[in-house]
Amino acid sequence: SYELIQPPSVSVSPGQTASITCSGDKLGDKYACWYQQKPGQSPVLVIYQDSKRPSGIPERFSGSNSGNTATLTISETQAMDEADYYCQAWDRGTAVFGTGTKVTVL
Amino acid sequence: EVQLVESGGGVIRPGGSLRLSCAASGFIFDDYGMTWVRQGPGRGLEWVSSINWNGDSTHYADSVKGRFTISRDNAKNSLYLQMNSLRAEDTAFYHCARGTVGGSLGFDSWGQGTLVTVSS
């Protein structure tokens, strides 16, 4: 079955840039989405179609997808960005979520 | 404002059945495919099942295929998940989300979830 692998954790200082990777076989041939989930809350879509932001998502969130890796980048990271992040793609009629990355803002 | 409100969760013994519901409002329900996603305690997100706008196309994760059935009633703006032969590993928060199979737009709205606990 298809797998999407993310680093378990990423640490970033306030104001710096955080990059979260998502690796899967030929992921660049699919569309990748990214979700943010804060403790006790439901996930929120922050990126769709590899690099597009839904209404209301700050511009500091951006995405890219090429080859076997999709990347979520958070520029000028703020304390409120501390959360779990999940990538997601579709593979043959099955939605696959990544393993998840905990972003800590130190 | 889009709202998705799940109900029907609870404590159930292994082998039992449960039916989850998701009441949708704030958008034209039958314009969208819908999906169930679950999250076990301290675990990541796991896709469970999706259904297209009119219910004639459904997809399931291998882990629930043959045990769970997704359905919808567009007249009632409601999504359902019938869960049979429940196992301990089905214990999770179950979220309904707006989004269709293969959709590039992602799951753009989520409910708060309903907790299903399978335990003897």
Side-chain angles (χ1 to χ4, degrees):
Chain A
S1 61
Y2 195 75
E3 293 184 329
L4 293 174
I5 305 299
Q6 301 178 232
S9 62
V10 167
S11 296
V12 60
S13 300
Q16 299 303 303
T17 297
S19 293
I20 306 164
T21 57
C22 173
S23 298
D25 185 48
K26 299 180 181 178
L27 180 56
D29 291 344
K30 310 176 191 298
Y31 276 122
C33 299
W34 290 90
Y35 302 87
Q36 175 195 70
Q37 187 179 32
K38 297 181 179 180
Q41 298 184 20
S42 298
V44 173
L45 179 69
V46 295
I47 293 289
Y48 67 97
Q49 285 183 358
D50 296 337
S51 60
K52 297 181 179 179
R53 282 178 291 104
S55 173
I57 300 303
E59 291 183 8
R60 64 180 182 274
F61 288 87
S62 62
S64 63
N65 185 16
S66 180
N68 294 322
T69 304
T71 302
L72 174 69
T73 302
I74 311 173
S75 304
E76 300 179 348
T77 306
Q78 300 181 11
M80 68 172 64
D81 301 328
E82 190 163 282
D84 293 328
Y85 291 83
Y86 296 89
C87 59
Q88 179 258 316
W90 286 92
D91 179 68
R92 287 177 284 186
T94 297
V96 180
F97 286 96
T99 49
T101 299
K102 182 175 183 59
V103 170
T104 301
V105 182
L106 299 171
Chain B
E1 178 194 4
V2 173
Q3 279 201 316
L4 299 170
V5 180
E6 303 91 339
S7 60
V11 180
I12 189 76
R13 293 188 183 277
S17 298
L18 213 53
R19 188 194 196 206
L20 306 184
S21 299
C22 171
S25 61
F27 65 102
I28 301 173
F29 185 64
D30 54 11
D31 274 354
Y32 292 87
M34 297 294 294
T35 289
W36 288 98
V37 176
R38 69 184 180 184
Q39 187 170 30
R43 299 178 65 88
L45 301 174
E46 181 188 10
W47 173 76
V48 174
S49 180
S50 294
I51 188 168
N52 73 334
W53 70 276
N54 67 356
D56 67 1
S57 177
T58 58
H59 297 254
Y60 298 92
D62 286 345
S63 58
V64 306
K65 200 172 293 183
R67 300 188 298 124
F68 290 12
T69 302
I70 191 172
S71 63
R72 64 189 296 161
D73 185 337
N74 287 345
K76 296 182 177 179
N77 288 348
S78 292
L79 175 72
Y80 305 102
L81 186 68
Q82 177 67 44
M83 304 187 297
N84 299 331
S85 303
L86 282 161
R87 306 167 180 167
E89 54 264 37
D90 296 319
T91 294
F93 273 97
Y94 285 74
H95 298 271
C96 67
R98 190 174 76 172
T100 193
V101 172
S104 62
L105 303 181
F107 304 122
D108 64 355
S109 295
W110 296 64
Q112 284 301 308
T114 186
L115 179 60
V116 173
T117 302
V118 184
S119 174
S120 54

